[in-house]
Amino acid sequence: MRVLRAQDVGKVLLKGGPARVNEPVSPRFRPGDRVHTRTINPTGHTRLPRYARGRRGVVDRDWGVFIFPDSSAAGRGAKPQHLYSVRFEARDLWGPAASARDAIYLDLWDDYLDPVEVGGSAAAPPDTPHR
Amino acid sequence: MNGVHDLGGMHGLGPIVREENEPVFHAEWERRAFAITMAAGFLGEWNIDMSRHSRELMPPAEYLATSYYEHWLWGLEHLLVEKGLLTKEEIEARVAELRKGAVR
């Protein structure tokens, strides 16, 4: 078992524990892609908030490859994958009473997202095969 | 998990009070709670995501009635017991000693 000694505390804290992973994992999405968040209700840890499940958003940027917390928290390994900043219109989350000018950006992992078919007005139902 | 920690969109919790020149710690015990969480984390028995999940397991009513570093302490105790590094009895015995002022 590792032991943190007093003289090493400064060094260790400065080093931190980065969650970024240097592995060549392919992104499933690119900035500008329309995405649909999955409806999930896991009993373990997740970083997809309830208010953003089953909602539409647009990938704003790709932060790179990171440890997937849902897997890591359950002791099932790092499952490295792309993490994106996804933009949601406030009205898509909170309804017509929200401001049309407000938006919220959430950092979301690949496993939380499904593609929205280009040209379609609705997200593909989960049982529809992707073309 | 669909826990009480996932507060986004909830009503009735009141305004977020901003503190001028907010200190990192509001009491000495908070400084200590942070330090022992870091030190115990370094043992390598769990990762940061497990620590976060551990805090989410606090009973919801207790979670809402307690402060940030109380969540940290609860989560740490839960992990220490879960990993077999301490028993609940050992923690309770130590708390009882501290209450009596027998140790510092």
Side-chain angles (χ1 to χ4, degrees), chain A residues 17 20 25 53 60 70 129:
Chain A
R20 189 185 286 279
V25 180
R53 295 177 191 165
D60 188 69
D70 302 40

Side-chain angles (χ1 to χ4, degrees), chain A residues 99-123:
Chain A
S99 165
R101 295 168 59 183
D102 288 348
I104 184 167
Y105 293 77
L106 296 176
D107 286 345
L108 301 177
W109 278 259
D110 244 330
D111 270 18
Y112 299 153
L113 306 171
D114 281 319
V116 171
E117 298 295 326
V118 177
S121 59

Side-chain angles (χ1 to χ4, degrees), chain A residues 2 41-42 44-45 50 53 72, chain B residues 1-3 6 42 49 56:
Chain A
R2 295 186 307 174
N41 286 281
H45 184 63
R50 263 175 290 178
R53 295 177 191 165
S72 162
Chain B
M1 65 179 282
N2 294 345
D6 188 1
F42 197 79
D49 300 304
E56 295 168 359

